[in-house]
Amino acid sequence: MAHPSQLGFQDAASPVMEELLHFHDHALMIVFLISTFVLYIIVAMVTTKLTNKFILDSQEIEIIWTLLPAIILVLIALPSLRILYLMDEINDPHLTIKAMGHQWYWSYEYTDYEDLAFDSYMIPTQDLAPGQFRLLEADHRMVVPAESPIRVLISAEDVLHSWAVPSLGVKMDAVPGRLNQTAFIASRPGIFYGQCSEICGANHSFMPIVVEAVPLEHFENWSSLMLEDA
Amino acid sequence: MSLPKPMMRGLLAKRLRFHLPIAFTLALTAAIAFKYTVTEPKKQAYADFYKQYDAIKDFNAMREAGVFESVQPTGK
């Protein structure tokens, strides 16, 4: 989850998010390169009264300031496209979960083997236990097996929502009448928080997503228990 | 007796010839500094974390701390 005064991304909990983190560092490095250059030139130009009123053109500088940006753009595009195709790979998921957005909660359906479905409402602030996170906790978490590829099919029952978990590098719009697919692998067991990321009404900020990644045997025990309780 | 004629033209170009290489060098230095103080250490930190990572041990520690909903602490 995010922490106070955080500047960067949350720690990556999936391989895709790690790639995105490193790509962001690469792009930011290029941003610093260009910004430093431009700032220096601006300062050099505003601190002089020298002018040249007679420049008409210069083929050399035109070529330089066309080629250099083109090269920089290629240096950004190549890793970007690599990650884009990496995210799109057919990944043979071990489990498929449907996440449906409602006003103002998420519902999860695990229908691969049996029919397991439940709603996930935010825990109101006054009902939080000590140590729980305000506006982030949900009464029923989406439990998944760790280190397994998971496919999530996302849709909505009323208005637009968006299912997002930053530490897993996942965000996908929940559109009524449409089924969107995304996938992730939780690299390690843990609890990963997200929030609805498409304005959906009064309680848009109060429908969080909580993904709980546990080893496979514990996931199987949990799903058996949930089916018994249903 | 007579002073040498001062340089009267190309003063801005001369300033640019002086400052542009410095600007390029400074920009490259900033980029390289960022790469070796942020980018590479972060990659290394992730690699080092997962090299020694024991998922079961980490899971058990979190389980005993009682943070999971799907799994209760064993009380050990």
PDB file of all heavy atoms in Angstrom, chain A residues 22-45:
ATOM      1  N   HIS A  22      11.362  -0.370 -13.561  1.00  0.00           N
ATOM      2  CA  HIS A  22      12.675  -0.124 -14.177  1.00  0.00           C
ATOM      3  C   HIS A  22      12.531   0.728 -15.418  1.00  0.00           C
ATOM      4  O   HIS A  22      13.358   1.599 -15.697  1.00  0.00           O
ATOM      5  CB  HIS A  22      13.363  -1.463 -14.510  1.00  0.00           C
ATOM      6  CG  HIS A  22      13.589  -2.323 -13.317  1.00  0.00           C
ATOM      7  ND1 HIS A  22      13.982  -1.807 -12.098  1.00  0.00           N
ATOM      8  CD2 HIS A  22      13.456  -3.662 -13.141  1.00  0.00           C
ATOM      9  CE1 HIS A  22      14.084  -2.786 -11.220  1.00  0.00           C
ATOM     10  NE2 HIS A  22      13.770  -3.924 -11.817  1.00  0.00           N
ATOM     11  N   PHE A  23      11.430   0.522 -16.178  1.00  0.00           N
ATOM     12  CA  PHE A  23      11.196   1.354 -17.361  1.00  0.00           C
ATOM     13  C   PHE A  23      10.951   2.804 -16.954  1.00  0.00           C
ATOM     14  O   PHE A  23      11.420   3.739 -17.609  1.00  0.00           O
ATOM     15  CB  PHE A  23      10.006   0.824 -18.166  1.00  0.00           C
ATOM     16  CG  PHE A  23       9.597   1.745 -19.281  1.00  0.00           C
ATOM     17  CD1 PHE A  23      10.392   1.912 -20.391  1.00  0.00           C
ATOM     18  CD2 PHE A  23       8.432   2.482 -19.196  1.00  0.00           C
ATOM     19  CE1 PHE A  23      10.047   2.791 -21.407  1.00  0.00           C
ATOM     20  CE2 PHE A  23       8.063   3.359 -20.201  1.00  0.00           C
ATOM     21  CZ  PHE A  23       8.870   3.509 -21.306  1.00  0.00           C
ATOM     22  N   HIS A  24      10.208   2.995 -15.854  1.00  0.00           N
ATOM     23  CA  HIS A  24       9.957   4.347 -15.384  1.00  0.00           C
ATOM     24  C   HIS A  24      11.259   5.047 -15.012  1.00  0.00           C
ATOM     25  O   HIS A  24      11.474   6.220 -15.328  1.00  0.00           O
ATOM     26  CB  HIS A  24       9.007   4.306 -14.184  1.00  0.00           C
ATOM     27  CG  HIS A  24       8.794   5.654 -13.567  1.00  0.00           C
ATOM     28  ND1 HIS A  24       9.535   6.119 -12.502  1.00  0.00           N
ATOM     29  CD2 HIS A  24       7.959   6.667 -13.881  1.00  0.00           C
ATOM     30  CE1 HIS A  24       9.149   7.331 -12.183  1.00  0.00           C
ATOM     31  NE2 HIS A  24       8.195   7.691 -13.009  1.00  0.00           N
ATOM     32  N   ASP A  25      12.160   4.295 -14.363  1.00  0.00           N
ATOM     33  CA  ASP A  25      13.472   4.873 -14.015  1.00  0.00           C
ATOM     34  C   ASP A  25      14.239   5.270 -15.269  1.00  0.00           C
ATOM     35  O   ASP A  25      14.877   6.327 -15.320  1.00  0.00           O
ATOM     36  CB  ASP A  25      14.298   3.858 -13.207  1.00  0.00           C
ATOM     37  CG  ASP A  25      13.790   3.719 -11.784  1.00  0.00           C
ATOM     38  OD1 ASP A  25      13.078   4.639 -11.323  1.00  0.00           O
ATOM     39  OD2 ASP A  25      14.101   2.706 -11.132  1.00  0.00           O
ATOM     40  N   HIS A  26      14.158   4.419 -16.287  1.00  0.00           N
ATOM     41  CA  HIS A  26      14.831   4.706 -17.555  1.00  0.00           C
ATOM     42  C   HIS A  26      14.256   5.976 -18.200  1.00  0.00           C
ATOM     43  O   HIS A  26      15.002   6.875 -18.616  1.00  0.00           O
ATOM     44  CB  HIS A  26      14.664   3.483 -18.474  1.00  0.00           C
ATOM     45  CG  HIS A  26      15.072   3.703 -19.891  1.00  0.00           C
ATOM     46  ND1 HIS A  26      16.394   3.763 -20.295  1.00  0.00           N
ATOM     47  CD2 HIS A  26      14.343   3.889 -21.016  1.00  0.00           C
ATOM     48  CE1 HIS A  26      16.452   3.961 -21.591  1.00  0.00           C
ATOM     49  NE2 HIS A  26      15.220   4.043 -22.064  1.00  0.00           N
ATOM     50  N   ALA A  27      12.927   6.067 -18.244  1.00  0.00           N
ATOM     51  CA  ALA A  27      12.293   7.244 -18.850  1.00  0.00           C
ATOM     52  C   ALA A  27      12.587   8.503 -18.034  1.00  0.00           C
ATOM     53  O   ALA A  27      12.836   9.580 -18.585  1.00  0.00           O
ATOM     54  CB  ALA A  27      10.782   7.029 -18.964  1.00  0.00           C
ATOM     55  N   LEU A  28      12.609   8.369 -16.714  1.00  0.00           N
ATOM     56  CA  LEU A  28      12.885   9.530 -15.858  1.00  0.00           C
ATOM     57  C   LEU A  28      14.321  10.001 -16.020  1.00  0.00           C
ATOM     58  O   LEU A  28      14.604  11.207 -15.994  1.00  0.00           O
ATOM     59  CB  LEU A  28      12.606   9.164 -14.400  1.00  0.00           C
ATOM     60  CG  LEU A  28      12.600  10.305 -13.398  1.00  0.00           C
ATOM     61  CD1 LEU A  28      11.572  11.341 -13.747  1.00  0.00           C
ATOM     62  CD2 LEU A  28      12.356   9.782 -11.989  1.00  0.00           C
ATOM     63  N   MET A  29      15.227   9.057 -16.244  1.00  0.00           N
ATOM     64  CA  MET A  29      16.621   9.418 -16.511  1.00  0.00           C
ATOM     65  C   MET A  29      16.704  10.299 -17.758  1.00  0.00           C
ATOM     66  O   MET A  29      17.405  11.312 -17.785  1.00  0.00           O
ATOM     67  CB  MET A  29      17.445   8.132 -16.706  1.00  0.00           C
ATOM     68  CG  MET A  29      18.875   8.379 -17.098  1.00  0.00           C
ATOM     69  SD  MET A  29      19.755   6.878 -17.510  1.00  0.00           S
ATOM     70  CE  MET A  29      19.103   6.483 -19.106  1.00  0.00           C
ATOM     71  N   ILE A  30      15.939   9.932 -18.797  1.00  0.00           N
ATOM     72  CA  ILE A  30      15.939  10.726 -20.029  1.00  0.00           C
ATOM     73  C   ILE A  30      15.292  12.083 -19.780  1.00  0.00           C
ATOM     74  O   ILE A  30      15.736  13.120 -20.300  1.00  0.00           O
ATOM     75  CB  ILE A  30      15.233   9.945 -21.155  1.00  0.00           C
ATOM     76  CG1 ILE A  30      16.081   8.721 -21.499  1.00  0.00           C
ATOM     77  CG2 ILE A  30      14.978  10.813 -22.369  1.00  0.00           C
ATOM     78  CD1 ILE A  30      15.462   7.774 -22.473  1.00  0.00           C
ATOM     79  N   VAL A  31      14.261  12.109 -18.954  1.00  0.00           N
ATOM     80  CA  VAL A  31      13.620  13.371 -18.612  1.00  0.00           C
ATOM     81  C   VAL A  31      14.614  14.298 -17.911  1.00  0.00           C
ATOM     82  O   VAL A  31      14.695  15.494 -18.222  1.00  0.00           O
ATOM     83  CB  VAL A  31      12.382  13.120 -17.719  1.00  0.00           C
ATOM     84  CG1 VAL A  31      11.932  14.393 -17.038  1.00  0.00           C
ATOM     85  CG2 VAL A  31      11.255  12.521 -18.541  1.00  0.00           C
ATOM     86  N   PHE A  32      15.382  13.759 -16.967  1.00  0.00           N
ATOM     87  CA  PHE A  32      16.382  14.577 -16.272  1.00  0.00           C
ATOM     88  C   PHE A  32      17.446  15.080 -17.240  1.00  0.00           C
ATOM     89  O   PHE A  32      17.908  16.217 -17.151  1.00  0.00           O
ATOM     90  CB  PHE A  32      17.047  13.782 -15.140  1.00  0.00           C
ATOM     91  CG  PHE A  32      16.229  13.717 -13.889  1.00  0.00           C
ATOM     92  CD1 PHE A  32      16.078  12.538 -13.183  1.00  0.00           C
ATOM     93  CD2 PHE A  32      15.597  14.855 -13.387  1.00  0.00           C
ATOM     94  CE1 PHE A  32      15.310  12.475 -12.032  1.00  0.00           C
ATOM     95  CE2 PHE A  32      14.838  14.807 -12.238  1.00  0.00           C
ATOM     96  CZ  PHE A  32      14.693  13.610 -11.562  1.00  0.00           C
ATOM     97  N   LEU A  33      17.825  14.213 -18.196  1.00  0.00           N
ATOM     98  CA  LEU A  33      18.831  14.613 -19.196  1.00  0.00           C
ATOM     99  C   LEU A  33      18.348  15.829 -19.984  1.00  0.00           C
ATOM    100  O   LEU A  33      19.044  16.841 -20.103  1.00  0.00           O
ATOM    101  CB  LEU A  33      19.110  13.421 -20.133  1.00  0.00           C
ATOM    102  CG  LEU A  33      20.156  13.618 -21.225  1.00  0.00           C
ATOM    103  CD1 LEU A  33      21.136  12.465 -21.226  1.00  0.00           C
ATOM    104  CD2 LEU A  33      19.501  13.698 -22.595  1.00  0.00           C
ATOM    105  N   ILE A  34      17.121  15.745 -20.494  1.00  0.00           N
ATOM    106  CA  ILE A  34      16.590  16.834 -21.311  1.00  0.00           C
ATOM    107  C   ILE A  34      16.360  18.078 -20.457  1.00  0.00           C
ATOM    108  O   ILE A  34      16.669  19.203 -20.862  1.00  0.00           O
ATOM    109  CB  ILE A  34      15.285  16.391 -21.999  1.00  0.00           C
ATOM    110  CG1 ILE A  34      15.571  15.249 -22.969  1.00  0.00           C
ATOM    111  CG2 ILE A  34      14.620  17.552 -22.712  1.00  0.00           C
ATOM    112  CD1 ILE A  34      14.344  14.552 -23.480  1.00  0.00           C
ATOM    113  N   SER A  35      15.808  17.888 -19.260  1.00  0.00           N
ATOM    114  CA  SER A  35      15.500  19.045 -18.407  1.00  0.00           C
ATOM    115  C   SER A  35      16.765  19.780 -17.995  1.00  0.00           C
ATOM    116  O   SER A  35      16.779  21.019 -17.967  1.00  0.00           O
ATOM    117  CB  SER A  35      14.746  18.596 -17.151  1.00  0.00           C
ATOM    118  OG  SER A  35      13.592  17.900 -17.499  1.00  0.00           O
ATOM    119  N   THR A  36      17.812  19.038 -17.669  1.00  0.00           N
ATOM    120  CA  THR A  36      19.077  19.684 -17.281  1.00  0.00           C
ATOM    121  C   THR A  36      19.611  20.514 -18.439  1.00  0.00           C
ATOM    122  O   THR A  36      20.017  21.670 -18.271  1.00  0.00           O
ATOM    123  CB  THR A  36      20.123  18.625 -16.891  1.00  0.00           C
ATOM    124  OG1 THR A  36      19.549  17.729 -15.965  1.00  0.00           O
ATOM    125  CG2 THR A  36      21.365  19.264 -16.298  1.00  0.00           C
ATOM    126  N   PHE A  37      19.582  19.915 -19.631  1.00  0.00           N
ATOM    127  CA  PHE A  37      20.080  20.618 -20.814  1.00  0.00           C
ATOM    128  C   PHE A  37      19.278  21.898 -21.067  1.00  0.00           C
ATOM    129  O   PHE A  37      19.848  22.985 -21.248  1.00  0.00           O
ATOM    130  CB  PHE A  37      20.003  19.681 -22.027  1.00  0.00           C
ATOM    131  CG  PHE A  37      20.459  20.295 -23.313  1.00  0.00           C
ATOM    132  CD1 PHE A  37      21.811  20.444 -23.577  1.00  0.00           C
ATOM    133  CD2 PHE A  37      19.546  20.738 -24.251  1.00  0.00           C
ATOM    134  CE1 PHE A  37      22.237  21.029 -24.760  1.00  0.00           C
ATOM    135  CE2 PHE A  37      19.964  21.319 -25.433  1.00  0.00           C
ATOM    136  CZ  PHE A  37      21.315  21.477 -25.697  1.00  0.00           C
ATOM    137  N   VAL A  38      17.952  21.770 -21.059  1.00  0.00           N
ATOM    138  CA  VAL A  38      17.095  22.924 -21.356  1.00  0.00           C
ATOM    139  C   VAL A  38      17.252  24.018 -20.297  1.00  0.00           C
ATOM    140  O   VAL A  38      17.341  25.207 -20.608  1.00  0.00           O
ATOM    141  CB  VAL A  38      15.615  22.471 -21.471  1.00  0.00           C
ATOM    142  CG1 VAL A  38      14.680  23.658 -21.513  1.00  0.00           C
ATOM    143  CG2 VAL A  38      15.431  21.606 -22.700  1.00  0.00           C
ATOM    144  N   LEU A  39      17.326  23.613 -19.028  1.00  0.00           N
ATOM    145  CA  LEU A  39      17.462  24.604 -17.958  1.00  0.00           C
ATOM    146  C   LEU A  39      18.782  25.371 -18.094  1.00  0.00           C
ATOM    147  O   LEU A  39      18.815  26.603 -17.948  1.00  0.00           O
ATOM    148  CB  LEU A  39      17.391  23.902 -16.600  1.00  0.00           C
ATOM    149  CG  LEU A  39      17.422  24.819 -15.384  1.00  0.00           C
ATOM    150  CD1 LEU A  39      16.204  25.707 -15.359  1.00  0.00           C
ATOM    151  CD2 LEU A  39      17.491  23.996 -14.102  1.00  0.00           C
ATOM    152  N   TYR A  40      19.832  24.636 -18.389  1.00  0.00           N
ATOM    153  CA  TYR A  40      21.137  25.296 -18.542  1.00  0.00           C
ATOM    154  C   TYR A  40      21.089  26.299 -19.692  1.00  0.00           C
ATOM    155  O   TYR A  40      21.560  27.438 -19.567  1.00  0.00           O
ATOM    156  CB  TYR A  40      22.232  24.246 -18.781  1.00  0.00           C
ATOM    157  CG  TYR A  40      23.626  24.818 -18.780  1.00  0.00           C
ATOM    158  CD1 TYR A  40      24.405  24.810 -17.627  1.00  0.00           C
ATOM    159  CD2 TYR A  40      24.166  25.400 -19.933  1.00  0.00           C
ATOM    160  CE1 TYR A  40      25.684  25.346 -17.613  1.00  0.00           C
ATOM    161  CE2 TYR A  40      25.439  25.941 -19.921  1.00  0.00           C
ATOM    162  CZ  TYR A  40      26.195  25.917 -18.768  1.00  0.00           C
ATOM    163  OH  TYR A  40      27.453  26.456 -18.758  1.00  0.00           O
ATOM    164  N   ILE A  41      20.498  25.888 -20.827  1.00  0.00           N
ATOM    165  CA  ILE A  41      20.427  26.779 -21.992  1.00  0.00           C
ATOM    166  C   ILE A  41      19.574  28.008 -21.676  1.00  0.00           C
ATOM    167  O   ILE A  41      19.910  29.147 -22.047  1.00  0.00           O
ATOM    168  CB  ILE A  41      19.867  26.031 -23.225  1.00  0.00           C
ATOM    169  CG1 ILE A  41      20.819  24.916 -23.641  1.00  0.00           C
ATOM    170  CG2 ILE A  41      19.606  26.980 -24.375  1.00  0.00           C
ATOM    171  CD1 ILE A  41      22.175  25.392 -24.066  1.00  0.00           C
ATOM    172  N   ILE A  42      18.466  27.809 -20.969  1.00  0.00           N
ATOM    173  CA  ILE A  42      17.600  28.938 -20.617  1.00  0.00           C
ATOM    174  C   ILE A  42      18.378  29.939 -19.764  1.00  0.00           C
ATOM    175  O   ILE A  42      18.363  31.148 -20.021  1.00  0.00           O
ATOM    176  CB  ILE A  42      16.332  28.462 -19.873  1.00  0.00           C
ATOM    177  CG1 ILE A  42      15.374  27.767 -20.842  1.00  0.00           C
ATOM    178  CG2 ILE A  42      15.632  29.616 -19.183  1.00  0.00           C
ATOM    179  CD1 ILE A  42      14.183  27.127 -20.185  1.00  0.00           C
ATOM    180  N   VAL A  43      19.076  29.441 -18.766  1.00  0.00           N
ATOM    181  CA  VAL A  43      19.845  30.337 -17.893  1.00  0.00           C
ATOM    182  C   VAL A  43      20.934  31.038 -18.690  1.00  0.00           C
ATOM    183  O   VAL A  43      21.143  32.251 -18.540  1.00  0.00           O
ATOM    184  CB  VAL A  43      20.431  29.548 -16.705  1.00  0.00           C
ATOM    185  CG1 VAL A  43      21.428  30.388 -15.935  1.00  0.00           C
ATOM    186  CG2 VAL A  43      19.324  29.062 -15.794  1.00  0.00           C
ATOM    187  N   ALA A  44      21.589  30.307 -19.579  1.00  0.00           N
ATOM    188  CA  ALA A  44      22.660  30.918 -20.391  1.00  0.00           C
ATOM    189  C   ALA A  44      22.092  31.996 -21.311  1.00  0.00           C
ATOM    190  O   ALA A  44      22.754  33.009 -21.571  1.00  0.00           O
ATOM    191  CB  ALA A  44      23.376  29.841 -21.207  1.00  0.00           C
ATOM    192  N   MET A  45      20.886  31.811 -21.782  1.00  0.00           N
ATOM    193  CA  MET A  45      20.315  32.789 -22.716  1.00  0.00           C
ATOM    194  C   MET A  45      19.707  33.994 -22.020  1.00  0.00           C
ATOM    195  O   MET A  45      19.703  35.102 -22.565  1.00  0.00           O
ATOM    196  CB  MET A  45      19.260  32.122 -23.606  1.00  0.00           C
ATOM    197  CG  MET A  45      19.837  31.133 -24.621  1.00  0.00           C
ATOM    198  SD  MET A  45      21.001  31.901 -25.767  1.00  0.00           S
ATOM    199  CE  MET A  45      22.557  31.354 -25.146  1.00  0.00           C
TER     200      MET A  45
END
